[in-house]
Amino acid sequence: MARLADCSRDTSSRMNGRVSRQQGQMRPPSSASSSSSSLMSTSSYDSTKPRAQSALSGRTPIRRPMTPLSSKLQPGLTTPLRPASSLRKRPSTPTLNSYKGKINVSVRPRPLLSVSHGNNNNPWFIENGNNTIAHDDAGEFQYDNVFDPLVNNRQVYDQVVKPVVEKAMDGFNGTIFAYGMTGSGKTYSMQGSEFEDGLIQLAVNQIFDTVRSDPSSRYTISCSFLEIYNERIFDLLNPESANALKNFNFGSIGTSAKDELKIRDDPIFGTKVIGLHEEIVTTPDDLIHLIHRGDQIRKTGGTDYNSRSSRSHAIVSIKIKKLTNSQEVFATLSLCDLAGSEKATTQIERRKEGSFINKSLLALGTVISKLSQNQGSLHIPYRDSKLTRLLQPSLSGESVVSILCTIHLSQITVGETLNTLRFASRAKNIAIAAARNGGNVQDSFRLESLAKELVETKRQLMELQLSSTKISDTDDEQLQRLRAENRILSEQVEHFRRMSDLGRADRVNLSNEIVSLLGELRETDSNRDEVIQKIESFNKHQQLDLEEMKSYISHLEHMMKTGEKFQVDSQTNAISKKQKTYEELFIGSEELSLKSLVKDQEEEIIELKEMLKEKDSIIKALRTAKRARDSVLNMGSNNTSDLENEYEDYTSAKDNLQYGKAIKTVTERIQLRSIENEI
Ligand SMILES: Nc1ncnc2c1ncn2[C@@H]1O[C@H](COP(=O)(O)OP(=O)(O)OP(=O)(O)O)[C@@H](O)[C@H]1O
């Protein structure tokens, strides 16, 4: 256990992000650190830059026996101890397609500095072997990793980032974020310095090392880079957004609102920033260049603890897609450098920035706190800030998460450091249940096309339902009309048939009676043969008329049958239309043929009506003829010439299809004659 020398506010030692350390004052690597050396990547992009020679004099940490944990814990500050572990060490239940575990939490104290403004009784103690940090009054805190202040970025990387990158290369989303008060070393850790690579650079190296060592797979790597500044999202890779950010100041908040990017829910990635620029890269240099470009734009300013402080949360997202044979996996690795919390400052702009930063960090703390309570029913206020909204998919367990908490170990920052440690303690209770993204490409394609088909079928079904309602309305109207007309038609046919039967019987009677009448005619009558001939001819015409009537009847019957069949067909069509696709129904010829059939039927019905009218007049004429015959028979004293004359009138009238009129005339004449006889 090491008692740590007091560290102090340092702005003088910062020059362009450089920091020096006195060599030889670092303690031997901790167990965490030493174990990590065996895991170190053989990356060809590893930094081999020498550590800086320090102009600062460090203080050798004082070692003292560890105070028993129980006596150190204070109510509200306790952190249940658990075996030190990292993603590698901690028990988890990874299967091929899922990963279960807890968020990996590491603590990195900023190195001690030579200029001390406090006293030597530094209250902090670190025991690297046990991954424990203790405070004289606050007690002990244990995490997956508690680093020695003098570890380098590579050692931190191996414990904090490397396992997450390995998982990301295998299809699991990964998130790493640096959290801590301003000036505690977040940016130093993530971006590195002139003398050593940061975690981002090392992650990039590992990604491309993996790509190179796996020629049998095809990788696609792309990157986006955003920052959340004063609760607005800016695209650090998009020049327009970057310009907007440059011009962004508190006086123009309203006018620049259009430049900020919006967050939307996304079925694949949980959340998505709409319109965020994303570039595909093929080399590590390309990727680093891209990140460097964005970093130039990132908002920085001076705080009381950091002359070049990050005033925004910055998130680099690296998308990795890997295709091996027909298997595709994809993942997003998010590397977040959060803005540091700080106490009130004298500068107005810094104060306003600080309030936004503190607010979003508070929201992050609340979310972490609620998640750590492990109660599924609890409402998690992800929407309280842009930061928590963006980190929602990661924090809600869908991503392998590793948090690096950076701390100051000076006496004047004890409150802030304890806050960070409490945050870290809560975070390590959060469970992860991440799933691998991807699967068989053919399956993916098949699923994709099935999903498309489903959408298309649903659309067709909706249109079909709408149009079938319209069609059935039209059909219904036409069917109703056709049914009514058919009913009238069949009644007329039935009536016509009865009349025809009646007419046939009358005709038989009539011819019999005419024959007997003719028998009574005197054989000597010179025109007897002629009369017989004419009567026979009349009979023949009658026969023809009857034949014609029969044929009309069968024609009418046929039309009725066609009409009935059409009704049935229409109903069947209406049902089957509902089962047919939209195209078959509307683009095909079905509808056209249906319409033309209806039109034909309408024309035929008009014709039939005309024909029926004619037939009615024929029947009427036949009736009148019967009546005329009856009158003739009753008269008994008809002479042949009168009969002949009347017969001629009748036939000529019939030829002109004016039977009714002709018979009327005959009847009138016969009636007139009977009156004359009576007189
Ligand atoms: N582990 C470290 N080794 C050497 N120097 C460090 C280390 N950590 C931090 N520093 C130095 O401390 C100063 C502040 O660090 P840094 O900018 O990384 O803090 P920060 O947490 O990102 O602050 P802010 O939230 O304000 O951006 C820098 O000059 C940095 O070089």
Side-chain angles (χ1 to χ4, degrees):
M1 172 59 74
R3 175 178 280 277
L4 302 168
D6 206 357
C7 57
S8 65
R9 295 195 322 183
D10 167 42
T11 51
S12 59
S13 65
R14 295 157 201 277
M15 283 158 23
N16 299 324
R18 291 182 198 187
V19 68
S20 301
R21 259 182 275 183
Q22 187 170 11
Q23 276 192 339
Q25 289 204 346
M26 283 181 74
R27 288 180 301 169
S30 65
S31 60
S33 308
S34 57
S35 69
S36 68
S37 58
S38 62
L39 302 167
M40 278 174 73
S41 162
T42 53
S43 161
S44 53
Y45 311 103
D46 282 353
S47 168
T48 50
K49 292 168 193 161
R51 303 298 300 264
Q53 294 294 316
S54 177
L56 311 171
S57 63
R59 191 187 303 269
T60 307
I62 302 159
R63 292 171 186 274
R64 66 160 202 187
M66 194 80 166
T67 315
L69 179 69
S70 52
S71 65
K72 289 279 179 186
L73 294 179
Q74 286 186 348
L77 294 178
T78 58
T79 303
L81 276 176
R82 63 177 183 188
S85 61
S86 67
L87 271 180
R88 289 179 189 286
K89 296 178 243 164
R90 238 203 281 186
S92 63
T93 53
T95 64
L96 201 60
N97 291 317
S98 67
Y99 175 88
K100 282 197 176 134
K102 298 257 170 141
I103 287 185
N104 184 64
V105 180
S106 307
V107 172
R108 183 186 197 182
R110 206 184 94 163
L112 305 174
L113 299 169
S114 62
V115 184
S116 172
H117 296 282
N119 60 47
N120 286 338
N121 295 323
N122 193 299
W124 293 104
F125 301 92
I126 289 176
E127 191 177 18
N128 312 115
N130 206 19
N131 289 308
T132 306
I133 180 168
H135 183 269
D136 274 344
D137 302 319
E140 289 180 11
F141 300 84
Q142 192 177 45
Y143 303 98
D144 295 300
N145 300 288
V146 176
F147 294 105
D148 185 286
L150 298 181
V151 290
N152 60 27
N153 279 344
R154 160 61 68 182
Q155 290 166 311
V156 173
Y157 179 82
D158 285 341
Q159 298 302 317
V160 176
V161 185
K162 194 175 176 185
V164 182
V165 174
E166 277 169 6
K167 286 261 149 229
M169 297 306 285
D170 202 24
F172 292 89
N173 291 335
T175 305
I176 287 131
F177 60 88
Y179 177 96
M181 74 168 286
T182 179
S184 58
K186 298 181 294 294
T187 305
Y188 182 89
S189 301
M190 295 304 279
Q191 294 182 12
S193 72
E194 193 182 333
F195 306 108
E196 64 171 335
D197 289 337
L199 305 184
I200 293 175
Q201 171 76 62
L202 294 171
V204 169
N205 292 347
Q206 188 186 343
I207 289 168
F208 280 93
D209 280 347
T210 311
V211 172
R212 287 186 182 180
S213 65
D214 181 17
S216 57
S217 299
R218 209 176 69 214
Y219 287 84
T220 310
I221 313 287
S222 58
C223 174
S224 59
F225 192 5
L226 65 82
E227 84 169 342
I228 307 169
Y229 178 64
N230 288 347
E231 274 304 276
R232 296 207 169 146
I233 299 172
F234 293 95
D235 188 344
L236 293 177
L237 298 184
N238 179 349
E240 275 179 32
S241 185
N243 261 343
L245 179 64
K246 223 185 262 173
N247 300 330
F248 188 87
N249 58 57
F250 288 97
S252 63
I253 277 181
T255 52
S256 61
K258 64 176 171 22
D259 300 309
E260 70 161 318
L261 304 174
K262 301 273 183 280
I263 306 169
R264 295 269 180 282
D265 289 316
D266 184 84
I268 295 174
F269 300 105
T271 52
K272 194 177 178 177
V273 177
I274 305 299
L276 188 65
H277 190 72
E278 193 177 303
E279 262 180 52
I280 292 183
V281 287
T282 50
T283 67
D285 285 346
D286 283 353
L287 183 44
I288 287 299
H289 176 72
L290 208 61
I291 295 169
H292 184 67
R293 202 175 87 198
D295 203 49
Q296 297 290 305
I297 301 163
R298 198 181 163 192
K299 202 83 180 174
T300 55
T303 64
D304 294 353
Y305 288 90
N306 188 354
S307 58
R308 197 180 173 276
S309 172
S310 311
R311 310 311 297 146
S312 65
H313 308 299
I315 303 178
V316 173
S317 296
I318 302 170
K319 277 191 185 160
I320 302 148
K321 208 191 246 184
K322 173 182 160 191
L323 184 69
T324 317
N325 301 322
S326 61
Q327 292 291 319
E328 185 184 67
V329 290
F330 56 89
T332 303
L333 178 70
S334 302
L335 301 150
C336 321
D337 179 7
L338 303 185
S341 59
E342 61 171 312
K343 287 181 182 156
T345 168
T346 43
Q347 298 174 54
I348 293 176
E349 189 174 338
R350 294 288 91 86
R351 238 196 346 252
K352 285 183 180 174
E353 284 172 350
S355 80
F356 276 116
I357 293 166
N358 289 344
K359 204 178 135 213
S360 61
L361 291 175
L362 183 72
L364 179 63
T366 310
V367 165
I368 294 279
S369 167
K370 298 219 171 197
L371 286 170
S372 67
Q373 291 170 33
N374 280 332
Q375 289 174 20
S377 56
L378 219 57
H379 167 70
I380 312 292
Y382 291 112
R383 287 175 188 267
D384 277 7
S385 77
K386 295 269 164 47
L387 178 65
T388 45
R389 183 91 172 91
L390 276 179
L391 291 178
Q392 181 175 352
S394 312
L395 296 174
S396 56
E398 293 157 24
S399 181
V400 180
V401 180
S402 183
I403 301 177
L404 178 66
C405 291
T406 53
I407 51 170
H408 260 298
L409 294 176
S410 76
Q411 274 196 321
I412 51 171
T413 58
V414 168
E416 294 280 342
T417 299
L418 281 174
N419 278 343
T420 303
L421 292 178
R422 284 184 204 119
F423 172 89
S425 298
R426 285 191 286 263
K428 76 190 178 102
N429 287 327
I430 297 174
I432 294 169
R436 173 192 259 147
N437 305 305
N440 189 294
V441 174
Q442 272 151 16
D443 287 351
S444 308
F445 282 146
R446 181 81 193 117
L447 275 175
E448 207 174 304
S449 69
L450 278 174
K452 275 185 193 159
E453 271 178 40
L454 187 69
V455 170
E456 179 60 8
T457 311
K458 274 185 186 167
R459 184 189 68 79
Q460 288 178 357
L461 193 68
M462 273 178 70
E463 288 189 45
L464 191 58
Q465 277 168 349
L466 282 173
S467 1
S468 72
T469 316
K470 283 182 207 153
I471 284 171
S472 62
D473 285 350
T474 321
D475 278 358
D476 271 1
E477 269 174 37
Q478 288 186 337
L479 280 173
Q480 294 293 345
R481 196 155 48 81
L482 280 171
R483 278 200 191 111
E485 286 178 352
N486 249 11
R487 218 174 18 252
I488 295 166
L489 202 58
S490 48
E491 276 172 16
Q492 285 181 335
V493 167
E494 190 48 41
H495 176 72
F496 190 35
R497 187 182 284 121
R498 270 202 318 275
M499 296 311 297
S500 161
D501 290 346
L502 214 68
R504 194 186 302 126
D506 286 349
R507 184 184 59 78
V508 172
N509 290 337
L510 181 64
S511 64
N512 288 341
E513 285 167 14
I514 286 173
V515 168
S516 71
L517 271 173
L518 285 174
E520 288 169 16
L521 280 175
R522 282 185 303 274
E523 292 213 346
T524 51
D525 279 355
S526 57
N527 55 359
R528 182 176 177 270
D529 290 342
E530 199 183 343
V531 171
I532 289 171
Q533 213 176 6
K534 283 186 178 175
I535 288 174
E536 277 174 357
S537 154
F538 168 74
N539 261 350
K540 203 171 161 194
H541 278 290
Q542 288 284 328
Q543 288 283 1
L544 285 174
D545 282 348
L546 277 171
E547 287 308 316
E548 203 181 325
M549 277 167 62
K550 273 188 198 166
S551 126
Y552 275 130
I553 288 171
S554 62
H555 176 71
L556 286 170
E557 282 173 344
H558 172 73
M559 297 318 282
M560 276 171 60
K561 272 184 193 153
T562 314
E564 277 163 13
K565 186 172 179 299
F566 170 72
Q567 285 181 16
V568 173
D569 286 351
S570 300
Q571 281 166 336
T572 316
N573 276 346
I575 293 162
S576 67
K577 267 176 217 159
K578 289 182 183 173
Q579 295 161 352
K580 286 181 184 171
T581 62
Y582 175 77
E583 281 81 6
E584 281 171 333
L585 193 64
F586 289 95
I587 300 166
S589 59
E590 288 273 311
E591 193 196 19
L592 282 175
S593 64
L594 187 70
K595 279 183 177 165
S596 71
L597 185 59
V598 169
K599 203 164 172 250
D600 286 352
Q601 289 292 318
E602 283 173 348
E603 282 169 5
E604 277 192 67
I605 285 168
I606 292 167
E607 269 178 40
L608 280 170
K609 281 178 180 169
E610 290 298 316
M611 281 157 57
L612 269 175
K613 263 186 206 162
E614 284 177 18
K615 287 292 126 191
D616 279 345
S617 64
I618 291 171
I619 288 167
K620 210 169 164 190
L622 281 169
R623 277 190 188 151
T624 319
K626 184 176 175 287
R627 273 201 302 278
R629 184 212 57 191
D630 291 346
S631 305
V632 169
L633 288 176
N634 290 337
M635 276 163 55
S637 58
N638 289 346
N639 64 44
T640 309
S641 63
D642 284 345
L643 191 62
E644 279 171 11
N645 289 339
E646 282 157 12
Y647 177 72
E648 268 169 19
D649 286 348
Y650 171 73
T651 47
S652 75
K654 182 191 84 66
D655 288 345
N656 293 325
L657 286 175
Q658 291 174 335
Y659 286 51
K661 196 179 164 203
I663 295 302
K664 194 178 168 217
T665 316
V666 172
T667 312
E668 279 169 3
R669 285 165 71 178
I670 290 169
Q671 280 171 351
L672 193 66
R673 184 147 331 135
S674 356
I675 295 165
E676 282 171 4
N677 284 344
E678 277 173 22
I679 296 167

